[in-house]
Amino acid sequence: VIDVLLSRCPVPLLVIRQPYQVTDEPFSRAMLLLIAENEAALEAAGWMIGLTAPGGVVELLLVLETEAIQNFRGLMHEIDPRVEITSGQLSEALERSFVRLHRALGKAAELGKLKYEFRVAHDEEGPPAELSSTADHPLVVLALERADHGSQGHVHDRIRHSPHTVLVVPRD
């Protein structure tokens, strides 16, 4: 059912997997997870800011996948077998590719009186603790670029494994 909804829903989709205590306030913590450039990222960031309670925390979490690291290293090896690319170098490159979104989120958080955090996580280290802990129930925001297979797989995986409320913001 979720696959059909994700492929056809023209508006953001909120998925609640466990009983969640609904209050009059929006979320106090929200995380935007991205694995690569994504056409829906800016709109997803806007939704995240808008749904976070004043004084809350918003975070941009870039996930560097093991498969992406291996693929990039393989390509670089084909160009020059002597070049060694570290995970740290790939993390820095990923950070640079998201600098506009990072700055926009920082400014929006400041205007909305929110705390803003930014980091890169490697999936080979396992998922960040916030994604598996049920302690503070963050809103997990995912940008879905329907034309991008990687984006689709990432969104489906997060929905299946997250104990938290997930907001999927789609774009064709």
Side-chain angles (χ1 to χ4, degrees):
V1 173
I2 197 73
D3 294 340
V4 173
L5 285 171
L6 289 173
S7 69
R8 296 183 183 169
C9 190
V11 296
L13 178 67
L14 190 65
V15 180
I16 301 172
R17 302 237 349 169
Q18 293 185 350
Y20 183 81
Q21 192 72 287
V22 179
T23 63
D24 294 334
E25 289 185 18
F27 295 92
S28 62
R29 182 171 183 79
M31 304 170 71
L32 174 58
L33 269 67
L34 296 170
I35 59 167
E37 287 293 329
N38 188 310
E39 293 281 329
L42 191 57
E43 188 174 350
W47 277 93
M48 178 180 69
I49 293 289
L51 289 171
T52 306
V57 179
V58 292
E59 179 177 1
L60 174 57
L61 177 59
L62 305 178
V63 179
L64 189 55
E65 295 184 311
T66 303
E67 185 177 347
I69 293 170
Q70 292 168 344
N71 290 343
F72 190 77
R73 284 181 176 154
L75 288 170
M76 291 306 296
H77 183 75
E78 291 300 319
I79 293 170
D80 186 349
R82 298 168 293 168
V83 174
E84 288 293 324
I85 302 295
T86 67
S87 296
Q89 290 171 316
L90 290 174
S91 293
E92 289 172 15
L94 188 61
E95 285 180 36
R96 284 193 297 271
S97 70
F98 281 95
V99 73
R100 280 190 174 147
L101 180 61
H102 168 57
R103 287 183 182 154
L105 276 169
K107 188 167 190 97
E110 184 180 320
L111 292 171
K113 298 182 178 19
L114 303 168
K115 181 180 175 194
Y116 172 63
E117 299 172 358
F118 172 72
R119 66 189 164 121
V120 175
H122 296 243
D123 75 349
E124 61 193 13
E125 299 164 356
E130 303 91 336
L131 294 179
S132 55
S133 167
T134 57
D136 63 355
H137 288 289
L139 171 65
V140 176
V141 181
L142 304 170
L144 173 61
E145 187 177 348
R146 288 192 180 110
D148 176 30
H149 180 69
S151 169
Q152 290 177 20
H154 176 69
V155 167
H156 290 196
D157 186 57
R158 272 291 110 217
I159 289 172
R160 285 184 182 100
H161 296 101
S162 180
H164 307 296
T165 300
V166 176
L167 175 67
V168 179
V169 181
R171 183 157 182 163
D172 289 322

